Amino acid sequence: MLKKIAIVAAAAATMSFASWDLYPVLDNHKGETKTGTNFTKFGDLYSMSFYGASRYTILPSFELGAVIPYYMALSESHVNGLMSPIFMARYQFLPFMNTFLDVTIPTYDESSTHSAWSFLFGVQYSQKFGVVNFGSELGLQMETGGEYEITPPWVLNASLRAELDFGILVVPFVGVKGEMAIGAYTTKDGDESDSYTGDFVVFPEIGARIAINSKFGIEASVSTGFGDEIFIADETPLVADLHFNYKF
């Protein structure tokens, strides 16, 4: 059971779905759409996810967004189906700081890959230093028990990203996301596993985005993960992402 949960957690953690970016919200009444695919190798398990997403600033400094992902198995161990949609909100309360909330809504059925509510909230800080566009995030994730009625530990996460903007077509970037467990698995009857507090995983990432024009862009990245069993079992995931952006 633990390994099954860990595999699901790893897949969710390495997807490019939560937190659209780490930078200031869009200008008022401006929006963006994103469509892409995400390939994941997890031991001898292979999968792809296709997703569509959109965000829009409905009020000054207040942005709403949503992501709808679809999961497709490339190995016998996985099933196909709609993954849980994510709804996002960000508020920019200072020129260089945002607060955010991401809510994952379960869509469990026989073909789904996730059956729990998830809440991720926190703050973001961003600043430009010369050609380096720096973004960061600190958040806390809480998840319900889902189909198995086993509530996982809370997860403290921190993300960093640095884009090198030389004013040319291609903008390379590097990033890293770290997650640390707080607490234990708890059943609906109150039974607890051993504490996983302090267990962690790190996902380094490298990629580039290309601005085709002022509205269209492409972004590609690759990442992997290193850490404890609660997040990635005894495997080393490999994730490649490619998506297209359109600003309106």
Side-chain angles (χ1 to χ4, degrees), residues 27-65:
D27 292 337
N28 193 28
H29 298 312
K30 296 294 183 180
E32 184 178 15
T33 61
K34 177 165 64 174
T35 57
T37 183
N38 191 299
F39 170 81
T40 300
K41 177 184 180 297
F42 193 82
D44 58 354
L45 305 178
Y46 299 82
S47 64
M48 293 189 72
S49 295
F50 302 92
Y51 55 92
S54 184
R55 62 172 174 167
Y56 187 76
T57 303
I58 62 171
L59 296 169
S61 302
F62 184 58
E63 178 184 279
L64 295 178

PDB file of all heavy atoms in Angstrom, residues 27-65:
ATOM      1  N   ASP A  27      -1.102  41.190 -15.801  1.00  0.00           N
ATOM      2  CA  ASP A  27      -1.788  42.479 -15.710  1.00  0.00           C
ATOM      3  C   ASP A  27      -3.294  42.276 -15.705  1.00  0.00           C
ATOM      4  O   ASP A  27      -3.807  41.246 -16.158  1.00  0.00           O
ATOM      5  CB  ASP A  27      -1.391  43.376 -16.888  1.00  0.00           C
ATOM      6  CG  ASP A  27       0.061  43.811 -16.828  1.00  0.00           C
ATOM      7  OD1 ASP A  27       0.634  43.799 -15.720  1.00  0.00           O
ATOM      8  OD2 ASP A  27       0.624  44.147 -17.892  1.00  0.00           O
ATOM      9  N   ASN A  28      -4.010  43.271 -15.207  1.00  0.00           N
ATOM     10  CA  ASN A  28      -5.462  43.179 -15.095  1.00  0.00           C
ATOM     11  C   ASN A  28      -6.104  42.882 -16.449  1.00  0.00           C
ATOM     12  O   ASN A  28      -5.757  43.467 -17.472  1.00  0.00           O
ATOM     13  CB  ASN A  28      -6.013  44.492 -14.534  1.00  0.00           C
ATOM     14  CG  ASN A  28      -7.452  44.368 -14.109  1.00  0.00           C
ATOM     15  OD1 ASN A  28      -7.923  43.281 -13.737  1.00  0.00           O
ATOM     16  ND2 ASN A  28      -8.176  45.477 -14.150  1.00  0.00           N
ATOM     17  N   HIS A  29      -7.041  41.926 -16.439  1.00  0.00           N
ATOM     18  CA  HIS A  29      -7.774  41.497 -17.631  1.00  0.00           C
ATOM     19  C   HIS A  29      -6.862  40.936 -18.722  1.00  0.00           C
ATOM     20  O   HIS A  29      -7.193  41.012 -19.917  1.00  0.00           O
ATOM     21  CB  HIS A  29      -8.626  42.650 -18.193  1.00  0.00           C
ATOM     22  CG  HIS A  29      -9.677  43.136 -17.232  1.00  0.00           C
ATOM     23  ND1 HIS A  29     -10.537  42.281 -16.554  1.00  0.00           N
ATOM     24  CD2 HIS A  29      -9.980  44.392 -16.812  1.00  0.00           C
ATOM     25  CE1 HIS A  29     -11.337  42.995 -15.782  1.00  0.00           C
ATOM     26  NE2 HIS A  29     -11.016  44.268 -15.906  1.00  0.00           N
ATOM     27  N   LYS A  30      -5.759  40.355 -18.319  1.00  0.00           N
ATOM     28  CA  LYS A  30      -4.886  39.620 -19.230  1.00  0.00           C
ATOM     29  C   LYS A  30      -4.937  38.143 -18.866  1.00  0.00           C
ATOM     30  O   LYS A  30      -5.150  37.770 -17.705  1.00  0.00           O
ATOM     31  CB  LYS A  30      -3.447  40.125 -19.146  1.00  0.00           C
ATOM     32  CG  LYS A  30      -3.264  41.565 -19.591  1.00  0.00           C
ATOM     33  CD  LYS A  30      -3.547  41.725 -21.082  1.00  0.00           C
ATOM     34  CE  LYS A  30      -3.283  43.156 -21.539  1.00  0.00           C
ATOM     35  NZ  LYS A  30      -3.549  43.331 -22.990  1.00  0.00           N
ATOM     36  N   GLY A  31      -4.739  37.276 -19.865  1.00  0.00           N
ATOM     37  CA  GLY A  31      -4.811  35.849 -19.619  1.00  0.00           C
ATOM     38  C   GLY A  31      -3.779  35.070 -20.405  1.00  0.00           C
ATOM     39  O   GLY A  31      -3.044  35.620 -21.232  1.00  0.00           O
ATOM     40  N   GLU A  32      -3.744  33.770 -20.154  1.00  0.00           N
ATOM     41  CA  GLU A  32      -2.815  32.880 -20.830  1.00  0.00           C
ATOM     42  C   GLU A  32      -3.389  31.470 -20.828  1.00  0.00           C
ATOM     43  O   GLU A  32      -4.024  31.054 -19.857  1.00  0.00           O
ATOM     44  CB  GLU A  32      -1.456  32.895 -20.121  1.00  0.00           C
ATOM     45  CG  GLU A  32      -0.383  32.077 -20.811  1.00  0.00           C
ATOM     46  CD  GLU A  32       0.961  32.163 -20.099  1.00  0.00           C
ATOM     47  OE1 GLU A  32       0.984  32.621 -18.931  1.00  0.00           O
ATOM     48  OE2 GLU A  32       1.975  31.781 -20.705  1.00  0.00           O
ATOM     49  N   THR A  33      -3.184  30.755 -21.921  1.00  0.00           N
ATOM     50  CA  THR A  33      -3.538  29.347 -21.988  1.00  0.00           C
ATOM     51  C   THR A  33      -2.270  28.527 -22.199  1.00  0.00           C
ATOM     52  O   THR A  33      -1.272  29.019 -22.721  1.00  0.00           O
ATOM     53  CB  THR A  33      -4.529  29.061 -23.130  1.00  0.00           C
ATOM     54  OG1 THR A  33      -3.921  29.406 -24.380  1.00  0.00           O
ATOM     55  CG2 THR A  33      -5.819  29.831 -22.939  1.00  0.00           C
ATOM     56  N   LYS A  34      -2.344  27.266 -21.789  1.00  0.00           N
ATOM     57  CA  LYS A  34      -1.197  26.376 -21.916  1.00  0.00           C
ATOM     58  C   LYS A  34      -1.704  24.985 -22.263  1.00  0.00           C
ATOM     59  O   LYS A  34      -2.616  24.463 -21.622  1.00  0.00           O
ATOM     60  CB  LYS A  34      -0.410  26.352 -20.603  1.00  0.00           C
ATOM     61  CG  LYS A  34       0.777  25.405 -20.593  1.00  0.00           C
ATOM     62  CD  LYS A  34       1.726  25.693 -19.432  1.00  0.00           C
ATOM     63  CE  LYS A  34       1.113  25.481 -18.083  1.00  0.00           C
ATOM     64  NZ  LYS A  34       2.104  25.625 -16.989  1.00  0.00           N
ATOM     65  N   THR A  35      -1.124  24.366 -23.285  1.00  0.00           N
ATOM     66  CA  THR A  35      -1.418  22.978 -23.639  1.00  0.00           C
ATOM     67  C   THR A  35      -0.098  22.244 -23.787  1.00  0.00           C
ATOM     68  O   THR A  35       0.862  22.781 -24.350  1.00  0.00           O
ATOM     69  CB  THR A  35      -2.210  22.876 -24.948  1.00  0.00           C
ATOM     70  OG1 THR A  35      -1.482  23.513 -26.009  1.00  0.00           O
ATOM     71  CG2 THR A  35      -3.576  23.518 -24.815  1.00  0.00           C
ATOM     72  N   GLY A  36      -0.048  21.034 -23.270  1.00  0.00           N
ATOM     73  CA  GLY A  36       1.221  20.323 -23.342  1.00  0.00           C
ATOM     74  C   GLY A  36       1.109  18.867 -22.989  1.00  0.00           C
ATOM     75  O   GLY A  36       0.015  18.327 -22.756  1.00  0.00           O
ATOM     76  N   THR A  37       2.265  18.234 -22.945  1.00  0.00           N
ATOM     77  CA  THR A  37       2.355  16.831 -22.594  1.00  0.00           C
ATOM     78  C   THR A  37       3.515  16.623 -21.640  1.00  0.00           C
ATOM     79  O   THR A  37       4.507  17.361 -21.682  1.00  0.00           O
ATOM     80  CB  THR A  37       2.531  15.955 -23.849  1.00  0.00           C
ATOM     81  OG1 THR A  37       2.541  14.574 -23.472  1.00  0.00           O
ATOM     82  CG2 THR A  37       3.832  16.284 -24.566  1.00  0.00           C
ATOM     83  N   ASN A  38       3.365  15.624 -20.788  1.00  0.00           N
ATOM     84  CA  ASN A  38       4.340  15.356 -19.747  1.00  0.00           C
ATOM     85  C   ASN A  38       4.638  13.864 -19.752  1.00  0.00           C
ATOM     86  O   ASN A  38       3.740  13.048 -19.529  1.00  0.00           O
ATOM     87  CB  ASN A  38       3.740  15.801 -18.404  1.00  0.00           C
ATOM     88  CG  ASN A  38       4.744  15.829 -17.285  1.00  0.00           C
ATOM     89  OD1 ASN A  38       5.322  14.803 -16.954  1.00  0.00           O
ATOM     90  ND2 ASN A  38       4.916  16.989 -16.691  1.00  0.00           N
ATOM     91  N   PHE A  39       5.877  13.482 -20.019  1.00  0.00           N
ATOM     92  CA  PHE A  39       6.286  12.080 -20.042  1.00  0.00           C
ATOM     93  C   PHE A  39       7.014  11.750 -18.749  1.00  0.00           C
ATOM     94  O   PHE A  39       7.920  12.477 -18.324  1.00  0.00           O
ATOM     95  CB  PHE A  39       7.213  11.806 -21.227  1.00  0.00           C
ATOM     96  CG  PHE A  39       7.873  10.446 -21.175  1.00  0.00           C
ATOM     97  CD1 PHE A  39       7.188   9.318 -21.579  1.00  0.00           C
ATOM     98  CD2 PHE A  39       9.173  10.314 -20.703  1.00  0.00           C
ATOM     99  CE1 PHE A  39       7.791   8.065 -21.526  1.00  0.00           C
ATOM    100  CE2 PHE A  39       9.787   9.062 -20.643  1.00  0.00           C
ATOM    101  CZ  PHE A  39       9.089   7.939 -21.049  1.00  0.00           C
ATOM    102  N   THR A  40       6.612  10.648 -18.095  1.00  0.00           N
ATOM    103  CA  THR A  40       7.221  10.244 -16.839  1.00  0.00           C
ATOM    104  C   THR A  40       7.711   8.805 -16.909  1.00  0.00           C
ATOM    105  O   THR A  40       6.960   7.907 -17.315  1.00  0.00           O
ATOM    106  CB  THR A  40       6.218  10.366 -15.669  1.00  0.00           C
ATOM    107  OG1 THR A  40       5.776  11.714 -15.551  1.00  0.00           O
ATOM    108  CG2 THR A  40       6.870   9.948 -14.352  1.00  0.00           C
ATOM    109  N   LYS A  41       8.954   8.598 -16.522  1.00  0.00           N
ATOM    110  CA  LYS A  41       9.511   7.249 -16.346  1.00  0.00           C
ATOM    111  C   LYS A  41       9.743   7.049 -14.862  1.00  0.00           C
ATOM    112  O   LYS A  41      10.433   7.831 -14.218  1.00  0.00           O
ATOM    113  CB  LYS A  41      10.827   7.094 -17.102  1.00  0.00           C
ATOM    114  CG  LYS A  41      11.496   5.726 -16.894  1.00  0.00           C
ATOM    115  CD  LYS A  41      12.842   5.655 -17.590  1.00  0.00           C
ATOM    116  CE  LYS A  41      13.496   4.288 -17.373  1.00  0.00           C
ATOM    117  NZ  LYS A  41      13.786   4.015 -15.946  1.00  0.00           N
ATOM    118  N   PHE A  42       9.138   5.995 -14.317  1.00  0.00           N
ATOM    119  CA  PHE A  42       9.246   5.724 -12.887  1.00  0.00           C
ATOM    120  C   PHE A  42       9.569   4.246 -12.729  1.00  0.00           C
ATOM    121  O   PHE A  42       8.672   3.401 -12.713  1.00  0.00           O
ATOM    122  CB  PHE A  42       7.942   6.091 -12.184  1.00  0.00           C
ATOM    123  CG  PHE A  42       8.047   6.143 -10.692  1.00  0.00           C
ATOM    124  CD1 PHE A  42       8.537   7.267 -10.048  1.00  0.00           C
ATOM    125  CD2 PHE A  42       7.657   5.063  -9.916  1.00  0.00           C
ATOM    126  CE1 PHE A  42       8.627   7.316  -8.668  1.00  0.00           C
ATOM    127  CE2 PHE A  42       7.745   5.094  -8.539  1.00  0.00           C
ATOM    128  CZ  PHE A  42       8.247   6.227  -7.917  1.00  0.00           C
ATOM    129  N   GLY A  43      10.850   3.908 -12.670  1.00  0.00           N
ATOM    130  CA  GLY A  43      11.255   2.509 -12.675  1.00  0.00           C
ATOM    131  C   GLY A  43      10.881   1.868 -13.992  1.00  0.00           C
ATOM    132  O   GLY A  43      11.234   2.359 -15.064  1.00  0.00           O
ATOM    133  N   ASP A  44      10.106   0.780 -13.941  1.00  0.00           N
ATOM    134  CA  ASP A  44       9.648   0.133 -15.167  1.00  0.00           C
ATOM    135  C   ASP A  44       8.246   0.594 -15.564  1.00  0.00           C
ATOM    136  O   ASP A  44       7.605  -0.009 -16.421  1.00  0.00           O
ATOM    137  CB  ASP A  44       9.670  -1.387 -15.011  1.00  0.00           C
ATOM    138  CG  ASP A  44       8.798  -1.872 -13.848  1.00  0.00           C
ATOM    139  OD1 ASP A  44       8.283  -1.014 -13.101  1.00  0.00           O
ATOM    140  OD2 ASP A  44       8.642  -3.096 -13.700  1.00  0.00           O
ATOM    141  N   LEU A  45       7.767   1.677 -14.949  1.00  0.00           N
ATOM    142  CA  LEU A  45       6.473   2.255 -15.273  1.00  0.00           C
ATOM    143  C   LEU A  45       6.665   3.501 -16.131  1.00  0.00           C
ATOM    144  O   LEU A  45       7.454   4.384 -15.783  1.00  0.00           O
ATOM    145  CB  LEU A  45       5.711   2.614 -13.997  1.00  0.00           C
ATOM    146  CG  LEU A  45       5.512   1.482 -12.986  1.00  0.00           C
ATOM    147  CD1 LEU A  45       4.792   2.004 -11.754  1.00  0.00           C
ATOM    148  CD2 LEU A  45       4.733   0.335 -13.621  1.00  0.00           C
ATOM    149  N   TYR A  46       5.932   3.567 -17.237  1.00  0.00           N
ATOM    150  CA  TYR A  46       6.012   4.694 -18.152  1.00  0.00           C
ATOM    151  C   TYR A  46       4.613   5.260 -18.356  1.00  0.00           C
ATOM    152  O   TYR A  46       3.642   4.508 -18.482  1.00  0.00           O
ATOM    153  CB  TYR A  46       6.581   4.264 -19.510  1.00  0.00           C
ATOM    154  CG  TYR A  46       7.981   3.713 -19.454  1.00  0.00           C
ATOM    155  CD1 TYR A  46       8.223   2.396 -19.094  1.00  0.00           C
ATOM    156  CD2 TYR A  46       9.071   4.520 -19.768  1.00  0.00           C
ATOM    157  CE1 TYR A  46       9.515   1.879 -19.046  1.00  0.00           C
ATOM    158  CE2 TYR A  46      10.378   4.021 -19.723  1.00  0.00           C
ATOM    159  CZ  TYR A  46      10.575   2.698 -19.366  1.00  0.00           C
ATOM    160  OH  TYR A  46      11.859   2.203 -19.319  1.00  0.00           O
ATOM    161  N   SER A  47       4.525   6.574 -18.423  1.00  0.00           N
ATOM    162  CA  SER A  47       3.214   7.190 -18.621  1.00  0.00           C
ATOM    163  C   SER A  47       3.374   8.548 -19.288  1.00  0.00           C
ATOM    164  O   SER A  47       4.458   9.136 -19.302  1.00  0.00           O
ATOM    165  CB  SER A  47       2.485   7.363 -17.282  1.00  0.00           C
ATOM    166  OG  SER A  47       3.188   8.258 -16.443  1.00  0.00           O
ATOM    167  N   MET A  48       2.256   9.023 -19.842  1.00  0.00           N
ATOM    168  CA  MET A  48       2.191  10.376 -20.403  1.00  0.00           C
ATOM    169  C   MET A  48       0.948  11.057 -19.864  1.00  0.00           C
ATOM    170  O   MET A  48      -0.068  10.403 -19.605  1.00  0.00           O
ATOM    171  CB  MET A  48       2.155  10.350 -21.935  1.00  0.00           C
ATOM    172  CG  MET A  48       3.425   9.862 -22.583  1.00  0.00           C
ATOM    173  SD  MET A  48       3.431  10.103 -24.384  1.00  0.00           S
ATOM    174  CE  MET A  48       3.616  11.898 -24.453  1.00  0.00           C
ATOM    175  N   SER A  49       1.054  12.347 -19.689  1.00  0.00           N
ATOM    176  CA  SER A  49      -0.101  13.142 -19.305  1.00  0.00           C
ATOM    177  C   SER A  49      -0.252  14.281 -20.302  1.00  0.00           C
ATOM    178  O   SER A  49       0.734  14.934 -20.669  1.00  0.00           O
ATOM    179  CB  SER A  49       0.065  13.716 -17.901  1.00  0.00           C
ATOM    180  OG  SER A  49       0.095  12.685 -16.945  1.00  0.00           O
ATOM    181  N   PHE A  50      -1.468  14.491 -20.748  1.00  0.00           N
ATOM    182  CA  PHE A  50      -1.783  15.609 -21.622  1.00  0.00           C
ATOM    183  C   PHE A  50      -2.628  16.590 -20.817  1.00  0.00           C
ATOM    184  O   PHE A  50      -3.500  16.175 -20.055  1.00  0.00           O
ATOM    185  CB  PHE A  50      -2.550  15.128 -22.850  1.00  0.00           C
ATOM    186  CG  PHE A  50      -1.812  14.092 -23.647  1.00  0.00           C
ATOM    187  CD1 PHE A  50      -2.003  12.742 -23.392  1.00  0.00           C
ATOM    188  CD2 PHE A  50      -0.917  14.465 -24.635  1.00  0.00           C
ATOM    189  CE1 PHE A  50      -1.317  11.772 -24.115  1.00  0.00           C
ATOM    190  CE2 PHE A  50      -0.220  13.507 -25.359  1.00  0.00           C
ATOM    191  CZ  PHE A  50      -0.422  12.162 -25.100  1.00  0.00           C
ATOM    192  N   TYR A  51      -2.374  17.870 -20.978  1.00  0.00           N
ATOM    193  CA  TYR A  51      -3.101  18.818 -20.149  1.00  0.00           C
ATOM    194  C   TYR A  51      -3.402  20.106 -20.899  1.00  0.00           C
ATOM    195  O   TYR A  51      -2.692  20.526 -21.820  1.00  0.00           O
ATOM    196  CB  TYR A  51      -2.316  19.143 -18.871  1.00  0.00           C
ATOM    197  CG  TYR A  51      -0.904  19.655 -19.092  1.00  0.00           C
ATOM    198  CD1 TYR A  51      -0.629  21.015 -19.188  1.00  0.00           C
ATOM    199  CD2 TYR A  51       0.165  18.767 -19.191  1.00  0.00           C
ATOM    200  CE1 TYR A  51       0.662  21.477 -19.377  1.00  0.00           C
ATOM    201  CE2 TYR A  51       1.451  19.214 -19.382  1.00  0.00           C
ATOM    202  CZ  TYR A  51       1.702  20.571 -19.476  1.00  0.00           C
ATOM    203  OH  TYR A  51       2.983  21.024 -19.677  1.00  0.00           O
ATOM    204  N   GLY A  52      -4.497  20.701 -20.501  1.00  0.00           N
ATOM    205  CA  GLY A  52      -4.875  22.032 -20.935  1.00  0.00           C
ATOM    206  C   GLY A  52      -5.071  22.904 -19.714  1.00  0.00           C
ATOM    207  O   GLY A  52      -5.561  22.435 -18.681  1.00  0.00           O
ATOM    208  N   ALA A  53      -4.668  24.160 -19.812  1.00  0.00           N
ATOM    209  CA  ALA A  53      -4.742  25.043 -18.657  1.00  0.00           C
ATOM    210  C   ALA A  53      -5.018  26.472 -19.111  1.00  0.00           C
ATOM    211  O   ALA A  53      -4.708  26.856 -20.245  1.00  0.00           O
ATOM    212  CB  ALA A  53      -3.432  25.001 -17.866  1.00  0.00           C
ATOM    213  N   SER A  54      -5.601  27.237 -18.221  1.00  0.00           N
ATOM    214  CA  SER A  54      -5.863  28.636 -18.521  1.00  0.00           C
ATOM    215  C   SER A  54      -5.825  29.446 -17.228  1.00  0.00           C
ATOM    216  O   SER A  54      -6.189  28.940 -16.157  1.00  0.00           O
ATOM    217  CB  SER A  54      -7.237  28.793 -19.185  1.00  0.00           C
ATOM    218  OG  SER A  54      -7.465  30.136 -19.564  1.00  0.00           O
ATOM    219  N   ARG A  55      -5.365  30.676 -17.330  1.00  0.00           N
ATOM    220  CA  ARG A  55      -5.393  31.591 -16.186  1.00  0.00           C
ATOM    221  C   ARG A  55      -5.789  32.983 -16.677  1.00  0.00           C
ATOM    222  O   ARG A  55      -5.571  33.338 -17.848  1.00  0.00           O
ATOM    223  CB  ARG A  55      -4.033  31.652 -15.474  1.00  0.00           C
ATOM    224  CG  ARG A  55      -2.887  32.181 -16.328  1.00  0.00           C
ATOM    225  CD  ARG A  55      -1.652  32.392 -15.483  1.00  0.00           C
ATOM    226  NE  ARG A  55      -0.481  32.754 -16.276  1.00  0.00           N
ATOM    227  CZ  ARG A  55       0.653  33.225 -15.773  1.00  0.00           C
ATOM    228  NH1 ARG A  55       0.771  33.399 -14.458  1.00  0.00           N
ATOM    229  NH2 ARG A  55       1.672  33.518 -16.558  1.00  0.00           N
ATOM    230  N   TYR A  56      -6.366  33.779 -15.766  1.00  0.00           N
ATOM    231  CA  TYR A  56      -6.856  35.097 -16.146  1.00  0.00           C
ATOM    232  C   TYR A  56      -6.899  35.976 -14.898  1.00  0.00           C
ATOM    233  O   TYR A  56      -7.319  35.524 -13.826  1.00  0.00           O
ATOM    234  CB  TYR A  56      -8.258  34.991 -16.752  1.00  0.00           C
ATOM    235  CG  TYR A  56      -8.786  36.277 -17.331  1.00  0.00           C
ATOM    236  CD1 TYR A  56      -8.331  36.748 -18.564  1.00  0.00           C
ATOM    237  CD2 TYR A  56      -9.734  37.035 -16.648  1.00  0.00           C
ATOM    238  CE1 TYR A  56      -8.817  37.928 -19.104  1.00  0.00           C
ATOM    239  CE2 TYR A  56     -10.231  38.211 -17.172  1.00  0.00           C
ATOM    240  CZ  TYR A  56      -9.772  38.656 -18.416  1.00  0.00           C
ATOM    241  OH  TYR A  56     -10.246  39.827 -18.940  1.00  0.00           O
ATOM    242  N   THR A  57      -6.477  37.216 -15.057  1.00  0.00           N
ATOM    243  CA  THR A  57      -6.504  38.177 -13.954  1.00  0.00           C
ATOM    244  C   THR A  57      -7.843  38.900 -13.981  1.00  0.00           C
ATOM    245  O   THR A  57      -8.074  39.772 -14.826  1.00  0.00           O
ATOM    246  CB  THR A  57      -5.343  39.174 -14.056  1.00  0.00           C
ATOM    247  OG1 THR A  57      -4.110  38.456 -14.073  1.00  0.00           O
ATOM    248  CG2 THR A  57      -5.337  40.130 -12.864  1.00  0.00           C
ATOM    249  N   ILE A  58      -8.731  38.517 -13.070  1.00  0.00           N
ATOM    250  CA  ILE A  58     -10.096  39.038 -13.094  1.00  0.00           C
ATOM    251  C   ILE A  58     -10.205  40.411 -12.433  1.00  0.00           C
ATOM    252  O   ILE A  58     -11.123  41.179 -12.730  1.00  0.00           O
ATOM    253  CB  ILE A  58     -11.073  38.055 -12.431  1.00  0.00           C
ATOM    254  CG1 ILE A  58     -10.713  37.836 -10.957  1.00  0.00           C
ATOM    255  CG2 ILE A  58     -11.092  36.729 -13.176  1.00  0.00           C
ATOM    256  CD1 ILE A  58     -11.755  37.039 -10.188  1.00  0.00           C
ATOM    257  N   LEU A  59      -9.299  40.704 -11.504  1.00  0.00           N
ATOM    258  CA  LEU A  59      -9.228  41.986 -10.811  1.00  0.00           C
ATOM    259  C   LEU A  59      -7.763  42.367 -10.694  1.00  0.00           C
ATOM    260  O   LEU A  59      -6.890  41.489 -10.778  1.00  0.00           O
ATOM    261  CB  LEU A  59      -9.860  41.893  -9.413  1.00  0.00           C
ATOM    262  CG  LEU A  59     -11.359  41.598  -9.331  1.00  0.00           C
ATOM    263  CD1 LEU A  59     -11.748  41.284  -7.885  1.00  0.00           C
ATOM    264  CD2 LEU A  59     -12.176  42.763  -9.863  1.00  0.00           C
ATOM    265  N   PRO A  60      -7.453  43.636 -10.493  1.00  0.00           N
ATOM    266  CA  PRO A  60      -6.043  44.000 -10.335  1.00  0.00           C
ATOM    267  C   PRO A  60      -5.359  43.160  -9.262  1.00  0.00           C
ATOM    268  O   PRO A  60      -5.838  43.057  -8.139  1.00  0.00           O
ATOM    269  CB  PRO A  60      -6.110  45.480  -9.927  1.00  0.00           C
ATOM    270  CG  PRO A  60      -7.378  45.980 -10.521  1.00  0.00           C
ATOM    271  CD  PRO A  60      -8.333  44.824 -10.422  1.00  0.00           C
ATOM    272  N   SER A  61      -4.286  42.477  -9.663  1.00  0.00           N
ATOM    273  CA  SER A  61      -3.447  41.671  -8.774  1.00  0.00           C
ATOM    274  C   SER A  61      -4.077  40.359  -8.332  1.00  0.00           C
ATOM    275  O   SER A  61      -3.502  39.653  -7.496  1.00  0.00           O
ATOM    276  CB  SER A  61      -3.028  42.472  -7.522  1.00  0.00           C
ATOM    277  OG  SER A  61      -2.337  43.641  -7.894  1.00  0.00           O
ATOM    278  N   PHE A  62      -5.259  40.001  -8.871  1.00  0.00           N
ATOM    279  CA  PHE A  62      -5.934  38.761  -8.465  1.00  0.00           C
ATOM    280  C   PHE A  62      -6.152  37.874  -9.686  1.00  0.00           C
ATOM    281  O   PHE A  62      -6.888  38.231 -10.603  1.00  0.00           O
ATOM    282  CB  PHE A  62      -7.261  39.068  -7.786  1.00  0.00           C
ATOM    283  CG  PHE A  62      -7.953  37.842  -7.252  1.00  0.00           C
ATOM    284  CD1 PHE A  62      -7.332  37.011  -6.324  1.00  0.00           C
ATOM    285  CD2 PHE A  62      -9.243  37.516  -7.681  1.00  0.00           C
ATOM    286  CE1 PHE A  62      -7.980  35.876  -5.837  1.00  0.00           C
ATOM    287  CE2 PHE A  62      -9.895  36.392  -7.198  1.00  0.00           C
ATOM    288  CZ  PHE A  62      -9.263  35.572  -6.270  1.00  0.00           C
ATOM    289  N   GLU A  63      -5.520  36.707  -9.654  1.00  0.00           N
ATOM    290  CA  GLU A  63      -5.489  35.801 -10.800  1.00  0.00           C
ATOM    291  C   GLU A  63      -6.137  34.466 -10.451  1.00  0.00           C
ATOM    292  O   GLU A  63      -5.895  33.907  -9.375  1.00  0.00           O
ATOM    293  CB  GLU A  63      -4.033  35.592 -11.211  1.00  0.00           C
ATOM    294  CG  GLU A  63      -3.790  34.642 -12.357  1.00  0.00           C
ATOM    295  CD  GLU A  63      -2.300  34.453 -12.591  1.00  0.00           C
ATOM    296  OE1 GLU A  63      -1.678  35.316 -13.250  1.00  0.00           O
ATOM    297  OE2 GLU A  63      -1.738  33.455 -12.076  1.00  0.00           O
ATOM    298  N   LEU A  64      -6.949  33.953 -11.365  1.00  0.00           N
ATOM    299  CA  LEU A  64      -7.545  32.626 -11.220  1.00  0.00           C
ATOM    300  C   LEU A  64      -7.079  31.733 -12.364  1.00  0.00           C
ATOM    301  O   LEU A  64      -6.852  32.207 -13.481  1.00  0.00           O
ATOM    302  CB  LEU A  64      -9.073  32.708 -11.229  1.00  0.00           C
ATOM    303  CG  LEU A  64      -9.740  33.442 -10.071  1.00  0.00           C
ATOM    304  CD1 LEU A  64     -11.250  33.468 -10.261  1.00  0.00           C
ATOM    305  CD2 LEU A  64      -9.388  32.808  -8.730  1.00  0.00           C
ATOM    306  N   GLY A  65      -6.971  30.427 -12.088  1.00  0.00           N
ATOM    307  CA  GLY A  65      -6.531  29.508 -13.124  1.00  0.00           C
ATOM    308  C   GLY A  65      -7.044  28.107 -12.877  1.00  0.00           C
ATOM    309  O   GLY A  65      -7.531  27.782 -11.785  1.00  0.00           O
TER     310      GLY A  65
END
